[in-house]
Amino acid sequence: MQTHFPYLLNQPKGIFAEKIGGDEPWLMLKTKQMHPRLSNTYRVRSRSGINVDSTAINIPRQWYNLVADLSVKPPPPLHPKTFEPLKPQDLSPLFPDELIKQEVTNQRFIDIPEEVIDVYRLWRPTPLIRAKRLEKLLDTPARIYYKYEGVSPAGSHKPNSAVPQVYFNAQQGVKNIVTETGAGQWGCSLAFACSLFGLGCEVWQVRASYDQKPYRKLMMQTWGAKVHPSPSNITEAGRRILQMDPSSPGSLGIAISEAVEIAAANDDTKYCLGSVLNHVLLHQTVIGEECIQQMEAIGETPDLIIGCTGGGSNFAGLSFPFIREKLKGKINPIIRAVEPAACPSLTKGVYAYDFGDTAGMTPLMKMHTLGHDFIPDPIHAGGLRYHGMAPLISHIYELGFMEAISIPQTECFEGAIRFARSEGLIPAPEPTHAIAATIREAVRCRESGESKVILMAMCGHGHFDLASYDKYLQGNIVDLSFEEQKIKESLAKVPQVLP
């Protein structure tokens, strides 16, 4: 039976809490708001199962910029024509002024506008959940927690950046937004944000995902977006690819080229990116900032932090605030990125300056890359099919602040099924990589007897990815691994820029 009772501790009058669920291992309490300016809060259980009555988890009021705390700063992006360090004004055709400032700033904290926080309140703060049933299934002494971002309207972490990006564009008078999307989570998030702020939205969705995930397209269209399969005949970049390969499955690099081409040709249109760039990673740090509060409230400290990586926004969002605390000497977790074996930019790519898109229209960024014209096989984790890794993540990987592994997709889906049948949530194909890595570590703990605290990024649900699960359950998903020769040919086309 649901119960209602006053929850007044550290809260303004007019807020009361509703108990959700029964005797759950995580006992989440979510406030009902009586005033639009008041933050959501959650209560969680301590590891002993006793309620932490004084816990009030607030939506962060600032984004965190890891660059400010790095003694060795990341290499600057370069102009695609001159190979000289990029100037802020060079980004003006694509981005509004405020996002350009956020991209290049060394400021530690950036205030989140109240209008953005008002939208965040639709789903934030997101729950931190202990996976006790998965622990029991694995018979492990490890304590597994996951930060669940699938409660957003778009079903993933992506609105954390889509909302502020659209807000800053609207503030500057931009009328239309263009973007690319892989699995569709970013495209849905941007369409959602544009519908709130009254901007037009046009999305190029990677062809493989466009065909695999039709309901993502319908979500975007429901929120008012135009959606094109990429490569398309609408742009010069798309037409060139189709001439070479009419059946091309597409890639994020190709879709970026198409969106950027449209943005550069129209004065009332700007481009938004869902990952990779510094300002996107900055916005996602609301995940880690909340999680630090939540873990402190239950008296836990992570020994290991795991997240999937494609472009890197979800991984950065959870891990960067914890890296800050690690740099302060307060904690010392291992931080592990997990990528698909078919697109292993961190574990198999080179650290070099490369284009962010296939056509070579974007600035050159120093990153781990498989080559800008590398087209990964059409794995079901469409959001991880990107040839490069976020420059800031690549930089801290080079500095030794994190490690990386790759896992094939059959092991990921096997882990997803175990997770769904124990925890109940059906994950998107992308975070199944983090789940598989978590299961590996939990089994090691069972064998060693260690009771590690594992914190996992659960970046979205898989409700629109059920065709992938159907294929797995029918035994029709196979492991797709990169071809050495294919990557060798792609890497040969990486621009030769002196370090």
Side-chain angles (χ1 to χ4, degrees), residues 176-180 190 200 202 204 259-260 262-263 269-272:
N176 301 296
I177 296 294
V178 293
T179 195
E180 77 294 327
L190 199 67
E202 195 165 4
W204 275 260
V260 167
I262 297 298
T269 302
K270 296 289 186 184
Y271 167 71
C272 285

Side-chain angles (χ1 to χ4, degrees), residues 74-131:
L78 305 180
H79 194 283
K81 303 290 189 202
T82 66
F83 289 6
E84 294 295 322
L86 202 69
K87 299 174 183 177
Q89 57 265 34
D90 294 330
L91 295 172
S92 293
L94 297 181
F95 305 113
D97 294 342
E98 182 57 36
L99 292 180
I100 294 172
K101 291 177 185 176
Q102 292 176 13
E103 182 66 24
V104 302
T105 187
N106 285 323
Q107 187 176 335
R108 182 170 285 105
F109 292 102
I110 307 295
D111 290 339
I112 304 175
E114 191 63 40
E115 294 85 348
V116 172
I117 292 176
D118 279 343
V119 180
Y120 278 173
R121 288 191 181 100
L122 291 173
W123 72 94
R124 305 215 68 85
T126 59
L128 174 69
I129 303 172
R130 182 171 174 184

Side-chain angles (χ1 to χ4, degrees), residues 80-81 240 253 257 355-363 372:
K81 303 290 189 202
R240 281 201 302 267
S257 293
F355 295 105
D357 71 312
T358 299
M361 299 172 65
T362 64
H372 60 275

Side-chain angles (χ1 to χ4, degrees), residues 269-320:
T269 302
K270 296 289 186 184
Y271 167 71
C272 285
L273 185 65
S275 192
V276 178
L277 295 182
N278 289 355
H279 68 270
V280 184
L281 275 54
L282 174 83
H283 300 154
Q284 293 294 347
T285 58
V286 292
I287 302 172
E289 296 289 15
E290 280 180 9
C291 198
I292 285 175
Q293 293 183 64
Q294 290 166 319
M295 297 214 79
E296 286 178 348
I298 59 176
E300 290 279 41
T301 301
D303 298 302
L304 175 62
I305 299 172
I306 298 175
C308 67
T309 48
S313 64
N314 141 74
F315 176 81
L318 179 63
S319 67
F320 280 9

